[in-house]
Amino acid sequence: MENYRPITISPIISKLFEIHLIDKYASFITSDDLQFGFKKGFSCSHALFLLKQTVDHFTTHGSDVFLASLDASKAFDRINHFKLYSILNKTKVSKIFIRIIINWYGKLYAKVKWNDCFSHTFSINSGVRQGGVLSRLLFNCYTNLLITNLKKSDLGCKLNNCYVGCILYADDIMLLSGSILNLQKMLNICYDVSLVLGISFNGLKSHCIHIGHSVNKYKIDDMLIGNIAIDWACKLKYLGIWIKSGKNFEIDITESRNKFFRTANCILNKSKFACDMVKLSLLESHCLPIILYFSDSCFNDNI
């Protein structure tokens, strides 16, 4: 059963309806600035830029930084509808909007089709609509509790009294701390919030790394989130970028570079009889984004 996941196909009229709701009520449903996902004017590059600047600031001033990348398992599918209603009720959004969402999500039913057979109808009490225009807004509002609790704890890194102890891009979570003890306390907070929200973390895809001058000088025991162990790795992947453990913030571009060369060779091989302008257009469309994506994260690194 774990190999199968349900999908929701939203009709065009539903998307138009959700676009209207966003146009009218989106300004009342806000999430913290440390959440970079699904926001106009924000991208992965902004999240990676903040991560690099924070680590560079601490290592330049002689401090170490301990990072923990957490993988939330099927986060979009685990949003509890009743908890979502409760969270929306604490925002400044109109009660009319909340009643619309209760009707919009409270009457979801589904059937399982296997070949030509259908199961009995059952209700859906968790998850947001796949491909729904409103889903991203509801997800950010639902997970904002994690950032709020971490900020209240005052644990983690700060820049000029601005809290940067956690960076989120949708369900990709990065914790930053100048202390191993505080990092474990932050993981405990994440676990407590996950119990409230019904979110679980995958220990196999979650990792920690150490960046600073005291790297490899002493052995650090595995961190814990609940009863799940999170190991210390030599590098971890965050938003498609491999970040290496070391004295300074460095990224491993081997995978991206190989992908660039594979893509370029494939295009040139398949289009060897095409004109140069066609080849240039294909390379610009498929190869250039691979290089430009990670370039913001390695200003002074040797490429």
Side-chain angles (χ1 to χ4, degrees), residues 66 88 174 188 219 225 274:
F66 304 93
L88 287 174
M174 178 68 78
N188 294 339
K219 185 180 182 301
I225 182 163

Side-chain angles (χ1 to χ4, degrees), residues 259-269 283 287:
K259 183 179 179 181
F260 170 81
F261 285 126
R262 286 196 305 268
T263 306
N265 291 334
C266 182
I267 290 174
L268 293 176
N269 182 56
L283 290 172
C287 298

Side-chain angles (χ1 to χ4, degrees), residues 23-264:
D23 182 63
K24 191 172 181 65
Y25 297 107
S27 59
F28 299 99
I29 308 175
T30 59
S31 57
D32 197 277
D33 290 338
L34 291 173
Q35 170 62 268
F36 290 84
F38 310 125
K39 289 183 177 179
K40 186 177 181 179
F42 290 87
S43 66
C44 293
S45 298
H46 293 91
L48 291 170
F49 176 81
L50 177 61
L51 175 61
K52 176 178 170 57
Q53 292 299 306
T54 303
V55 174
D56 285 347
H57 174 80
F58 276 79
T59 54
T60 301
H61 290 79
S63 299
D64 290 4
V65 182
F66 304 93
L67 308 177
S69 175
L70 303 180
D71 178 78
S73 302
K74 304 177 182 178
F76 289 87
D77 299 331
R78 293 181 181 273
I79 293 180
N80 185 286
H81 292 169
F82 299 102
K83 291 176 183 177
L84 175 62
Y85 308 149
S86 176
I87 291 173
L88 287 174
N89 195 44
K90 297 177 182 177
T91 64
K92 297 179 180 179
V93 69
S94 169
K95 302 302 179 185
I96 297 175
F97 176 82
I98 298 176
R99 287 199 292 268
I100 291 174
I101 294 301
I102 291 175
N103 278 275
W104 197 234
Y105 276 91
K107 299 176 181 178
L108 286 177
Y109 296 91
K111 291 182 178 180
V112 175
K113 179 182 180 182
W114 185 269
N115 294 326
D116 295 326
C117 300
F118 290 88
S119 70
H120 295 291
T121 302
F122 56 91
S123 61
I124 300 176
N125 299 318
S126 62
V128 291
R129 294 172 180 264
Q130 296 176 351
V133 183
L134 193 61
S135 299
R136 54 184 177 83
L137 192 67
L138 297 176
F139 179 83
N140 282 355
C141 180
Y142 189 79
T143 56
N144 197 62
L145 180 65
L146 178 62
I147 304 177
T148 303
N149 285 17
L150 287 171
K151 275 190 169 183
K152 286 181 179 179
S153 70
D154 205 31
L155 300 170
C157 296
K158 291 183 179 180
L159 287 178
N160 296 326
N161 293 324
C162 293
Y163 185 81
V164 288
C166 64
I167 300 174
L168 276 73
Y169 192 92
D171 58 341
D172 291 314
I173 306 168
M174 178 68 78
L175 304 180
L176 303 88
S177 174
S179 162
I180 300 176
L181 179 61
N182 286 345
L183 180 62
Q184 181 58 64
K185 291 180 180 179
M186 294 171 71
L187 289 171
N188 294 339
I189 293 174
C190 291
Y191 178 70
D192 292 338
V193 173
S194 71
L195 295 178
V196 175
L197 299 181
I199 297 174
S200 62
F201 294 103
N202 188 340
L204 297 177
K205 294 184 179 180
S206 300
H207 303 283
C208 297
I209 61 170
H210 179 192
I211 300 177
H213 299 284
S214 62
V215 171
N216 298 327
K217 288 187 177 180
Y218 49 87
K219 185 180 182 301
I220 308 176
D221 294 333
D222 290 345
M223 311 301 287
L224 293 174
I225 182 163
N227 58 354
I228 300 174
I230 303 178
D231 65 337
W232 291 90
C234 58
K235 62 179 182 179
L236 60 79
K237 192 174 186 179
Y238 183 66
L239 299 180
I241 298 296
W242 284 100
I243 304 171
K244 297 193 294 185
S245 176
K247 293 184 178 180
N248 301 296
F249 184 92
E250 295 182 8
I251 67 171
D252 186 356
I253 65 170
T254 304
E255 182 178 313
S256 297
R257 183 168 51 191
N258 292 340
K259 183 179 179 181
F260 170 81
F261 285 126
R262 286 196 305 268
T263 306

Side-chain angles (χ1 to χ4, degrees), residues 263-281:
T263 306
N265 291 334
C266 182
I267 290 174
L268 293 176
N269 182 56
K270 297 292 184 180
S271 62
K272 53 187 173 184
F273 297 111
C275 65
D276 291 340
M277 290 305 299
V278 171
K279 295 178 182 178
L280 181 62
S281 178

